[in-house]
Amino acid sequence: FDKNDIIVSKTDLKGRILYANRVFINISGYTEEELLGQPHSILRHPAMPRSVFKLLWDTLEAKQEIFAYVINRCKNGDHYWVLAHVTPSMDINGQIDGYHSNRRVPDTGIIKKIIAPLYKILLEEEQRHSNAKEGMHSAFNMLVKILEEKGIGYDEFIFSLKN
């Protein structure tokens, strides 16, 4: 998609798609009818580490926003990378009532040099375990350790990346 395009979606608390803008519909290859009501994971690409999604959901449940690189799968099997900005939506009582995501075209150099190799390592760690949940937690701990060694948080890491 074009570097000036923004993919937008909104979901309920369970991650079911409530809104998808035209850019999202076009790039995903699904119709609006096929997307609405479906879990956002309909786009989950098998190369995307579950541990990164754990970090994303943990951050959102803490009522914080997050920026993350995500690889998605289209209906026809193609894939596309995005730099996602995901925020919790709040009701008038300050309780989370859904999620909002804006996604942009990422820097392909950063994907190739840093993100894809990192995700490959995390995914390999996840797959090394026969229990998927244990694998996810092990890879998550690996990611936390990498960040601790750098002395930065996840958002700082994402914003420090340069091609």
Side-chain angles (χ1 to χ4, degrees):
F1 58 108
D2 187 80
K3 68 177 183 160
N4 294 317
D5 286 340
I6 300 174
I7 296 172
V8 180
S9 61
K10 294 180 184 179
T11 68
D12 65 13
L13 289 172
K14 296 196 184 261
R16 290 181 298 242
I17 300 169
L18 302 174
Y19 170 79
N21 74 343
R22 186 62 39 206
V23 177
F24 182 20
I25 293 165
N26 290 342
I27 193 163
S28 73
Y30 290 96
T31 65
E32 184 175 28
E33 293 76 23
E34 290 173 315
L35 287 171
L36 295 182
Q38 294 300 312
H40 214 287
S41 61
I42 193 172
L43 302 170
R44 190 178 187 294
H45 193 281
M48 184 66 198
R50 293 177 69 223
S51 53
V52 175
F53 282 125
K54 176 180 173 14
L55 175 68
L56 183 141
W57 285 110
D58 287 354
T59 302
L60 293 172
E61 288 173 5
K63 297 183 179 181
Q64 298 175 340
E65 66 184 345
I66 188 168
F67 289 84
Y69 288 92
V70 177
I71 183 171
N72 286 323
R73 182 170 46 188
C74 303
K75 181 178 179 180
N76 69 3
D78 287 347
H79 72 279
Y80 60 99
W81 283 92
V82 295
L83 176 56
H85 176 218
V86 189
T87 59
S89 299
M90 309 289 189
D91 65 18
I92 59 171
N93 298 315
Q95 297 303 307
I96 299 172
D97 65 0
Y99 304 96
H100 181 269
S101 179
N102 293 322
R103 294 165 312 278
R104 295 185 168 275
V105 173
D107 182 315
T108 56
I110 291 172
I111 297 294
K112 288 179 184 174
K113 291 180 187 175
I114 301 164
I115 299 300
L118 172 62
Y119 283 13
K120 183 177 185 287
I121 291 167
L122 294 173
L123 194 60
E124 287 171 354
E125 178 62 21
E126 289 178 9
Q127 294 170 343
R128 194 174 66 76
H129 298 263
S130 57
N131 179 295
K133 194 170 189 176
E134 287 176 12
M136 178 187 64
H137 285 290
S138 181
F140 177 81
N141 291 335
M142 180 185 284
L143 178 58
V144 169
K145 184 177 179 187
I146 290 168
L147 295 172
E148 285 175 351
E149 288 171 357
K150 293 181 178 295
I152 57 176
Y154 184 75
D155 279 347
E156 290 174 285
F157 168 69
I158 293 298
F159 290 122
S160 72
L161 299 177
K162 297 200 180 355
N163 184 6

